[in-house]
Amino acid sequence: MSLSFAQCLLVGIIYALCGFSFLASYTTTYRPLVCATIVGAFFGDIKKGAELGAQINLIYIGFMSVGGSSPGDPCLAGCVSTALCIAGDLPLEMGLAMAVPVGLLGGFIFVFRMTTNSFFARLTEKFIEQDKDLFIPTVIGPFIYYMFLAVVPTTALLALASGAMDSLAAVLNGPVLAAVAVVGGMMPALGIAMNLFAIFKGNARIFLFVGFAMAAYLHLPVMCVTIFGLAMALVYTQLAKE
């Protein structure tokens, strides 16, 4: 399995645009469900991209960036894992196992970019002192720098990973591959557990049991349970204010 340079560059551009704050949001294209589906569409397998993106999305269901720090990069995890899975015809569990280290690497890149972006603040101060137009240090410069740090590492990562994937698959064949698949399958459960740990507090606990009962015993679809949950949350909030 190998990806061409054009394919690697395409995934890098998709990741950059999906993660760009002016074009996207943490609740839309930055989420693996959306960005992985986009990558899958460009690679000709939108179904597998959506399936893998949905699974990776569960890992990062409680994702939140606070104070300029990031525990991972769900967008990078979704784009890279989907491209490698589709190109190598790998099972979804392998994609889930790859998503965690890739997302962690993206978190380091994010912190590095946020730290080095202070250069443009100093440059903007100089432009203000010289009474120059601020469009370059506040818009053009940061955008070019962001695209460079998003596209170049992603393209290089995919090029290296795709070249070594065949050898890695041969080494991991057999029991090791089965173990990796099991670990990958556990990742969404870990994400759900972390999210439950954050919300399972106080009077809100009852909603978890109500939702579980509706899904397990009434066999209602997820969207139906979500609508009921939203309605109950709104009623609960109004009553709490009164």
PDB file of all heavy atoms in Angstrom, residues 31-33 50-63 74 96 99-100 184-196 222:
ATOM      1  N   ARG A  31     -14.510  17.967  13.723  1.00  0.00           N
ATOM      2  CA  ARG A  31     -14.839  16.670  14.303  1.00  0.00           C
ATOM      3  C   ARG A  31     -14.536  15.538  13.318  1.00  0.00           C
ATOM      4  O   ARG A  31     -14.752  15.679  12.114  1.00  0.00           O
ATOM      5  CB  ARG A  31     -16.319  16.635  14.699  1.00  0.00           C
ATOM      6  CG  ARG A  31     -16.654  17.570  15.844  1.00  0.00           C
ATOM      7  CD  ARG A  31     -16.031  17.092  17.127  1.00  0.00           C
ATOM      8  NE  ARG A  31     -16.245  18.033  18.224  1.00  0.00           N
ATOM      9  CZ  ARG A  31     -15.900  17.775  19.501  1.00  0.00           C
ATOM     10  NH1 ARG A  31     -15.351  16.621  19.800  1.00  0.00           N
ATOM     11  NH2 ARG A  31     -16.106  18.672  20.431  1.00  0.00           N
ATOM     12  N   PRO A  32     -14.037  14.405  13.827  1.00  0.00           N
ATOM     13  CA  PRO A  32     -13.679  13.285  12.946  1.00  0.00           C
ATOM     14  C   PRO A  32     -14.826  12.794  12.079  1.00  0.00           C
ATOM     15  O   PRO A  32     -14.598  12.372  10.943  1.00  0.00           O
ATOM     16  CB  PRO A  32     -13.228  12.200  13.932  1.00  0.00           C
ATOM     17  CG  PRO A  32     -12.769  12.943  15.142  1.00  0.00           C
ATOM     18  CD  PRO A  32     -13.661  14.148  15.235  1.00  0.00           C
ATOM     19  N   LEU A  33     -16.050  12.838  12.594  1.00  0.00           N
ATOM     20  CA  LEU A  33     -17.183  12.362  11.804  1.00  0.00           C
ATOM     21  C   LEU A  33     -17.304  13.124  10.493  1.00  0.00           C
ATOM     22  O   LEU A  33     -17.627  12.539   9.449  1.00  0.00           O
ATOM     23  CB  LEU A  33     -18.479  12.511  12.619  1.00  0.00           C
ATOM     24  CG  LEU A  33     -19.783  12.144  11.884  1.00  0.00           C
ATOM     25  CD1 LEU A  33     -19.737  10.702  11.415  1.00  0.00           C
ATOM     26  CD2 LEU A  33     -20.978  12.394  12.782  1.00  0.00           C
ATOM     27  N   ALA A  50     -17.117   7.616   6.700  1.00  0.00           N
ATOM     28  CA  ALA A  50     -18.115   8.001   7.700  1.00  0.00           C
ATOM     29  C   ALA A  50     -18.125   7.023   8.872  1.00  0.00           C
ATOM     30  O   ALA A  50     -18.257   7.447  10.030  1.00  0.00           O
ATOM     31  CB  ALA A  50     -19.498   8.065   7.045  1.00  0.00           C
ATOM     32  N   GLU A  51     -17.990   5.729   8.596  1.00  0.00           N
ATOM     33  CA  GLU A  51     -17.987   4.734   9.675  1.00  0.00           C
ATOM     34  C   GLU A  51     -16.785   4.923  10.597  1.00  0.00           C
ATOM     35  O   GLU A  51     -16.925   4.911  11.828  1.00  0.00           O
ATOM     36  CB  GLU A  51     -17.982   3.330   9.076  1.00  0.00           C
ATOM     37  CG  GLU A  51     -19.281   2.934   8.395  1.00  0.00           C
ATOM     38  CD  GLU A  51     -19.187   1.573   7.749  1.00  0.00           C
ATOM     39  OE1 GLU A  51     -18.054   1.039   7.624  1.00  0.00           O
ATOM     40  OE2 GLU A  51     -20.242   1.020   7.363  1.00  0.00           O
ATOM     41  N   LEU A  52     -15.608   5.092  10.002  1.00  0.00           N
ATOM     42  CA  LEU A  52     -14.414   5.288  10.821  1.00  0.00           C
ATOM     43  C   LEU A  52     -14.474   6.617  11.562  1.00  0.00           C
ATOM     44  O   LEU A  52     -14.102   6.707  12.735  1.00  0.00           O
ATOM     45  CB  LEU A  52     -13.169   5.224   9.942  1.00  0.00           C
ATOM     46  CG  LEU A  52     -11.826   5.373  10.663  1.00  0.00           C
ATOM     47  CD1 LEU A  52     -11.675   4.308  11.742  1.00  0.00           C
ATOM     48  CD2 LEU A  52     -10.667   5.278   9.682  1.00  0.00           C
ATOM     49  N   GLY A  53     -14.958   7.654  10.886  1.00  0.00           N
ATOM     50  CA  GLY A  53     -15.076   8.956  11.536  1.00  0.00           C
ATOM     51  C   GLY A  53     -16.019   8.924  12.725  1.00  0.00           C
ATOM     52  O   GLY A  53     -15.757   9.557  13.753  1.00  0.00           O
ATOM     53  N   ALA A  54     -17.115   8.169  12.591  1.00  0.00           N
ATOM     54  CA  ALA A  54     -18.063   8.058  13.705  1.00  0.00           C
ATOM     55  C   ALA A  54     -17.423   7.366  14.905  1.00  0.00           C
ATOM     56  O   ALA A  54     -17.640   7.755  16.058  1.00  0.00           O
ATOM     57  CB  ALA A  54     -19.304   7.295  13.252  1.00  0.00           C
ATOM     58  N   GLN A  55     -16.613   6.331  14.638  1.00  0.00           N
ATOM     59  CA  GLN A  55     -15.952   5.617  15.727  1.00  0.00           C
ATOM     60  C   GLN A  55     -14.891   6.486  16.401  1.00  0.00           C
ATOM     61  O   GLN A  55     -14.782   6.524  17.627  1.00  0.00           O
ATOM     62  CB  GLN A  55     -15.306   4.334  15.184  1.00  0.00           C
ATOM     63  CG  GLN A  55     -16.291   3.304  14.679  1.00  0.00           C
ATOM     64  CD  GLN A  55     -17.158   2.731  15.788  1.00  0.00           C
ATOM     65  OE1 GLN A  55     -16.688   2.450  16.879  1.00  0.00           O
ATOM     66  NE2 GLN A  55     -18.441   2.581  15.512  1.00  0.00           N
ATOM     67  N   ILE A  56     -14.089   7.208  15.588  1.00  0.00           N
ATOM     68  CA  ILE A  56     -13.070   8.093  16.158  1.00  0.00           C
ATOM     69  C   ILE A  56     -13.730   9.236  16.917  1.00  0.00           C
ATOM     70  O   ILE A  56     -13.219   9.712  17.936  1.00  0.00           O
ATOM     71  CB  ILE A  56     -12.148   8.630  15.045  1.00  0.00           C
ATOM     72  CG1 ILE A  56     -11.417   7.476  14.362  1.00  0.00           C
ATOM     73  CG2 ILE A  56     -11.138   9.627  15.602  1.00  0.00           C
ATOM     74  CD1 ILE A  56     -10.560   7.911  13.188  1.00  0.00           C
ATOM     75  N   ASN A  57     -14.872   9.687  16.437  1.00  0.00           N
ATOM     76  CA  ASN A  57     -15.586  10.771  17.097  1.00  0.00           C
ATOM     77  C   ASN A  57     -15.975  10.395  18.527  1.00  0.00           C
ATOM     78  O   ASN A  57     -16.010  11.249  19.417  1.00  0.00           O
ATOM     79  CB  ASN A  57     -16.840  11.125  16.294  1.00  0.00           C
ATOM     80  CG  ASN A  57     -17.265  12.567  16.488  1.00  0.00           C
ATOM     81  OD1 ASN A  57     -16.791  13.453  15.792  1.00  0.00           O
ATOM     82  ND2 ASN A  57     -18.145  12.812  17.428  1.00  0.00           N
ATOM     83  N   LEU A  58     -16.260   9.111  18.741  1.00  0.00           N
ATOM     84  CA  LEU A  58     -16.597   8.660  20.095  1.00  0.00           C
ATOM     85  C   LEU A  58     -15.397   8.765  21.028  1.00  0.00           C
ATOM     86  O   LEU A  58     -15.551   9.022  22.221  1.00  0.00           O
ATOM     87  CB  LEU A  58     -17.101   7.212  20.052  1.00  0.00           C
ATOM     88  CG  LEU A  58     -18.473   6.991  19.406  1.00  0.00           C
ATOM     89  CD1 LEU A  58     -18.800   5.507  19.343  1.00  0.00           C
ATOM     90  CD2 LEU A  58     -19.554   7.729  20.175  1.00  0.00           C
ATOM     91  N   ILE A  59     -14.191   8.541  20.481  1.00  0.00           N
ATOM     92  CA  ILE A  59     -12.987   8.670  21.311  1.00  0.00           C
ATOM     93  C   ILE A  59     -12.850  10.099  21.823  1.00  0.00           C
ATOM     94  O   ILE A  59     -12.488  10.336  22.979  1.00  0.00           O
ATOM     95  CB  ILE A  59     -11.735   8.265  20.510  1.00  0.00           C
ATOM     96  CG1 ILE A  59     -11.854   6.820  20.011  1.00  0.00           C
ATOM     97  CG2 ILE A  59     -10.474   8.453  21.342  1.00  0.00           C
ATOM     98  CD1 ILE A  59     -10.694   6.387  19.140  1.00  0.00           C
ATOM     99  N   TYR A  60     -13.164  11.054  20.964  1.00  0.00           N
ATOM    100  CA  TYR A  60     -12.994  12.472  21.300  1.00  0.00           C
ATOM    101  C   TYR A  60     -14.333  13.134  21.613  1.00  0.00           C
ATOM    102  O   TYR A  60     -14.482  14.342  21.415  1.00  0.00           O
ATOM    103  CB  TYR A  60     -12.324  13.207  20.143  1.00  0.00           C
ATOM    104  CG  TYR A  60     -10.897  12.789  19.901  1.00  0.00           C
ATOM    105  CD1 TYR A  60     -10.581  11.851  18.919  1.00  0.00           C
ATOM    106  CD2 TYR A  60      -9.860  13.311  20.660  1.00  0.00           C
ATOM    107  CE1 TYR A  60      -9.273  11.459  18.688  1.00  0.00           C
ATOM    108  CE2 TYR A  60      -8.546  12.933  20.442  1.00  0.00           C
ATOM    109  CZ  TYR A  60      -8.266  12.005  19.452  1.00  0.00           C
ATOM    110  OH  TYR A  60      -6.962  11.629  19.234  1.00  0.00           O
ATOM    111  N   ILE A  61     -15.292  12.374  22.104  1.00  0.00           N
ATOM    112  CA  ILE A  61     -16.617  12.926  22.348  1.00  0.00           C
ATOM    113  C   ILE A  61     -16.594  13.994  23.440  1.00  0.00           C
ATOM    114  O   ILE A  61     -17.392  14.925  23.439  1.00  0.00           O
ATOM    115  CB  ILE A  61     -17.616  11.803  22.716  1.00  0.00           C
ATOM    116  CG1 ILE A  61     -19.047  12.324  22.673  1.00  0.00           C
ATOM    117  CG2 ILE A  61     -17.277  11.183  24.069  1.00  0.00           C
ATOM    118  CD1 ILE A  61     -20.087  11.235  22.828  1.00  0.00           C
ATOM    119  N   GLY A  62     -15.664  13.876  24.361  1.00  0.00           N
ATOM    120  CA  GLY A  62     -15.545  14.884  25.417  1.00  0.00           C
ATOM    121  C   GLY A  62     -14.390  15.836  25.191  1.00  0.00           C
ATOM    122  O   GLY A  62     -13.915  16.478  26.134  1.00  0.00           O
ATOM    123  N   PHE A  63     -13.932  15.959  23.944  1.00  0.00           N
ATOM    124  CA  PHE A  63     -12.774  16.788  23.634  1.00  0.00           C
ATOM    125  C   PHE A  63     -13.052  18.252  23.936  1.00  0.00           C
ATOM    126  O   PHE A  63     -14.110  18.778  23.607  1.00  0.00           O
ATOM    127  CB  PHE A  63     -12.401  16.633  22.159  1.00  0.00           C
ATOM    128  CG  PHE A  63     -11.348  17.590  21.697  1.00  0.00           C
ATOM    129  CD1 PHE A  63     -10.011  17.334  21.923  1.00  0.00           C
ATOM    130  CD2 PHE A  63     -11.700  18.759  21.043  1.00  0.00           C
ATOM    131  CE1 PHE A  63      -9.038  18.212  21.496  1.00  0.00           C
ATOM    132  CE2 PHE A  63     -10.736  19.651  20.612  1.00  0.00           C
ATOM    133  CZ  PHE A  63      -9.398  19.378  20.840  1.00  0.00           C
ATOM    134  N   PRO A  74      -8.403  15.781  17.172  1.00  0.00           N
ATOM    135  CA  PRO A  74      -9.348  14.840  16.542  1.00  0.00           C
ATOM    136  C   PRO A  74      -9.434  14.982  15.038  1.00  0.00           C
ATOM    137  O   PRO A  74      -9.679  14.004  14.334  1.00  0.00           O
ATOM    138  CB  PRO A  74     -10.685  15.188  17.215  1.00  0.00           C
ATOM    139  CG  PRO A  74     -10.519  16.571  17.760  1.00  0.00           C
ATOM    140  CD  PRO A  74      -9.075  16.685  18.118  1.00  0.00           C
ATOM    141  N   LEU A  96      -8.837   2.886  14.319  1.00  0.00           N
ATOM    142  CA  LEU A  96      -9.048   3.400  15.674  1.00  0.00           C
ATOM    143  C   LEU A  96      -7.761   3.356  16.479  1.00  0.00           C
ATOM    144  O   LEU A  96      -7.468   4.273  17.257  1.00  0.00           O
ATOM    145  CB  LEU A  96     -10.136   2.574  16.371  1.00  0.00           C
ATOM    146  CG  LEU A  96     -11.558   2.731  15.838  1.00  0.00           C
ATOM    147  CD1 LEU A  96     -12.487   1.728  16.503  1.00  0.00           C
ATOM    148  CD2 LEU A  96     -12.059   4.141  16.070  1.00  0.00           C
ATOM    149  N   ALA A  99      -5.586   6.189  15.399  1.00  0.00           N
ATOM    150  CA  ALA A  99      -6.118   7.521  15.653  1.00  0.00           C
ATOM    151  C   ALA A  99      -5.558   8.141  16.928  1.00  0.00           C
ATOM    152  O   ALA A  99      -5.322   9.355  16.980  1.00  0.00           O
ATOM    153  CB  ALA A  99      -7.646   7.465  15.735  1.00  0.00           C
ATOM    154  N   VAL A 100      -5.329   7.336  17.951  1.00  0.00           N
ATOM    155  CA  VAL A 100      -4.882   7.879  19.241  1.00  0.00           C
ATOM    156  C   VAL A 100      -3.482   8.484  19.157  1.00  0.00           C
ATOM    157  O   VAL A 100      -3.282   9.651  19.530  1.00  0.00           O
ATOM    158  CB  VAL A 100      -4.962   6.799  20.332  1.00  0.00           C
ATOM    159  CG1 VAL A 100      -4.396   7.325  21.643  1.00  0.00           C
ATOM    160  CG2 VAL A 100      -6.401   6.347  20.527  1.00  0.00           C
ATOM    161  N   GLY A 184      -8.144  -1.215  19.570  1.00  0.00           N
ATOM    162  CA  GLY A 184      -8.819  -0.186  18.787  1.00  0.00           C
ATOM    163  C   GLY A 184     -10.315  -0.168  19.024  1.00  0.00           C
ATOM    164  O   GLY A 184     -10.937   0.893  19.085  1.00  0.00           O
ATOM    165  N   GLY A 185     -10.906  -1.350  19.180  1.00  0.00           N
ATOM    166  CA  GLY A 185     -12.332  -1.417  19.451  1.00  0.00           C
ATOM    167  C   GLY A 185     -12.719  -0.876  20.818  1.00  0.00           C
ATOM    168  O   GLY A 185     -13.863  -0.456  21.036  1.00  0.00           O
ATOM    169  N   MET A 186     -11.753  -0.865  21.749  1.00  0.00           N
ATOM    170  CA  MET A 186     -12.024  -0.351  23.091  1.00  0.00           C
ATOM    171  C   MET A 186     -11.943   1.168  23.167  1.00  0.00           C
ATOM    172  O   MET A 186     -12.441   1.767  24.126  1.00  0.00           O
ATOM    173  CB  MET A 186     -11.030  -0.962  24.091  1.00  0.00           C
ATOM    174  CG  MET A 186     -11.201  -2.453  24.310  1.00  0.00           C
ATOM    175  SD  MET A 186      -9.891  -3.120  25.357  1.00  0.00           S
ATOM    176  CE  MET A 186     -10.090  -2.145  26.853  1.00  0.00           C
ATOM    177  N   MET A 187     -11.301   1.799  22.195  1.00  0.00           N
ATOM    178  CA  MET A 187     -11.089   3.243  22.251  1.00  0.00           C
ATOM    179  C   MET A 187     -12.390   4.048  22.326  1.00  0.00           C
ATOM    180  O   MET A 187     -12.503   4.988  23.120  1.00  0.00           O
ATOM    181  CB  MET A 187     -10.245   3.703  21.055  1.00  0.00           C
ATOM    182  CG  MET A 187      -8.792   3.244  21.076  1.00  0.00           C
ATOM    183  SD  MET A 187      -7.864   3.929  22.472  1.00  0.00           S
ATOM    184  CE  MET A 187      -7.838   2.522  23.572  1.00  0.00           C
ATOM    185  N   PRO A 188     -13.416   3.731  21.505  1.00  0.00           N
ATOM    186  CA  PRO A 188     -14.673   4.489  21.642  1.00  0.00           C
ATOM    187  C   PRO A 188     -15.300   4.352  23.022  1.00  0.00           C
ATOM    188  O   PRO A 188     -15.855   5.319  23.555  1.00  0.00           O
ATOM    189  CB  PRO A 188     -15.571   3.873  20.559  1.00  0.00           C
ATOM    190  CG  PRO A 188     -14.619   3.326  19.549  1.00  0.00           C
ATOM    191  CD  PRO A 188     -13.450   2.834  20.338  1.00  0.00           C
ATOM    192  N   ALA A 189     -15.207   3.146  23.607  1.00  0.00           N
ATOM    193  CA  ALA A 189     -15.753   2.953  24.952  1.00  0.00           C
ATOM    194  C   ALA A 189     -15.020   3.823  25.966  1.00  0.00           C
ATOM    195  O   ALA A 189     -15.632   4.364  26.899  1.00  0.00           O
ATOM    196  CB  ALA A 189     -15.660   1.480  25.354  1.00  0.00           C
ATOM    197  N   LEU A 190     -13.710   3.991  25.772  1.00  0.00           N
ATOM    198  CA  LEU A 190     -12.937   4.856  26.668  1.00  0.00           C
ATOM    199  C   LEU A 190     -13.389   6.304  26.548  1.00  0.00           C
ATOM    200  O   LEU A 190     -13.523   7.010  27.554  1.00  0.00           O
ATOM    201  CB  LEU A 190     -11.447   4.738  26.337  1.00  0.00           C
ATOM    202  CG  LEU A 190     -10.494   5.620  27.157  1.00  0.00           C
ATOM    203  CD1 LEU A 190     -10.592   5.279  28.633  1.00  0.00           C
ATOM    204  CD2 LEU A 190      -9.057   5.463  26.661  1.00  0.00           C
ATOM    205  N   GLY A 191     -13.626   6.747  25.311  1.00  0.00           N
ATOM    206  CA  GLY A 191     -14.103   8.114  25.120  1.00  0.00           C
ATOM    207  C   GLY A 191     -15.453   8.350  25.763  1.00  0.00           C
ATOM    208  O   GLY A 191     -15.688   9.382  26.399  1.00  0.00           O
ATOM    209  N   ILE A 192     -16.364   7.380  25.625  1.00  0.00           N
ATOM    210  CA  ILE A 192     -17.683   7.500  26.251  1.00  0.00           C
ATOM    211  C   ILE A 192     -17.559   7.511  27.763  1.00  0.00           C
ATOM    212  O   ILE A 192     -18.240   8.272  28.464  1.00  0.00           O
ATOM    213  CB  ILE A 192     -18.590   6.353  25.780  1.00  0.00           C
ATOM    214  CG1 ILE A 192     -18.867   6.483  24.279  1.00  0.00           C
ATOM    215  CG2 ILE A 192     -19.907   6.348  26.549  1.00  0.00           C
ATOM    216  CD1 ILE A 192     -19.644   5.325  23.711  1.00  0.00           C
ATOM    217  N   ALA A 193     -16.671   6.658  28.307  1.00  0.00           N
ATOM    218  CA  ALA A 193     -16.486   6.596  29.762  1.00  0.00           C
ATOM    219  C   ALA A 193     -15.957   7.922  30.309  1.00  0.00           C
ATOM    220  O   ALA A 193     -16.399   8.388  31.365  1.00  0.00           O
ATOM    221  CB  ALA A 193     -15.533   5.459  30.110  1.00  0.00           C
ATOM    222  N   MET A 194     -15.022   8.536  29.593  1.00  0.00           N
ATOM    223  CA  MET A 194     -14.490   9.834  30.034  1.00  0.00           C
ATOM    224  C   MET A 194     -15.567  10.902  30.001  1.00  0.00           C
ATOM    225  O   MET A 194     -15.629  11.769  30.889  1.00  0.00           O
ATOM    226  CB  MET A 194     -13.308  10.229  29.148  1.00  0.00           C
ATOM    227  CG  MET A 194     -12.098   9.318  29.280  1.00  0.00           C
ATOM    228  SD  MET A 194     -10.776   9.756  28.130  1.00  0.00           S
ATOM    229  CE  MET A 194     -10.369  11.402  28.706  1.00  0.00           C
ATOM    230  N   ASN A 195     -16.428  10.850  28.994  1.00  0.00           N
ATOM    231  CA  ASN A 195     -17.517  11.823  28.906  1.00  0.00           C
ATOM    232  C   ASN A 195     -18.526  11.609  30.029  1.00  0.00           C
ATOM    233  O   ASN A 195     -19.016  12.570  30.643  1.00  0.00           O
ATOM    234  CB  ASN A 195     -18.203  11.707  27.550  1.00  0.00           C
ATOM    235  CG  ASN A 195     -19.139  12.864  27.283  1.00  0.00           C
ATOM    236  OD1 ASN A 195     -18.757  14.025  27.433  1.00  0.00           O
ATOM    237  ND2 ASN A 195     -20.355  12.562  26.886  1.00  0.00           N
ATOM    238  N   LEU A 196     -18.828  10.349  30.339  1.00  0.00           N
ATOM    239  CA  LEU A 196     -19.756  10.050  31.429  1.00  0.00           C
ATOM    240  C   LEU A 196     -19.192  10.494  32.771  1.00  0.00           C
ATOM    241  O   LEU A 196     -19.930  10.950  33.652  1.00  0.00           O
ATOM    242  CB  LEU A 196     -20.067   8.555  31.459  1.00  0.00           C
ATOM    243  CG  LEU A 196     -20.947   8.026  30.328  1.00  0.00           C
ATOM    244  CD1 LEU A 196     -21.108   6.515  30.448  1.00  0.00           C
ATOM    245  CD2 LEU A 196     -22.307   8.696  30.332  1.00  0.00           C
ATOM    246  N   VAL A 222     -31.282   6.501  18.144  1.00  0.00           N
ATOM    247  CA  VAL A 222     -30.470   7.485  18.856  1.00  0.00           C
ATOM    248  C   VAL A 222     -31.023   8.897  18.668  1.00  0.00           C
ATOM    249  O   VAL A 222     -31.069   9.686  19.612  1.00  0.00           O
ATOM    250  CB  VAL A 222     -29.004   7.412  18.376  1.00  0.00           C
ATOM    251  CG1 VAL A 222     -28.179   8.530  19.022  1.00  0.00           C
ATOM    252  CG2 VAL A 222     -28.402   6.057  18.697  1.00  0.00           C
TER     253      VAL A 222
END
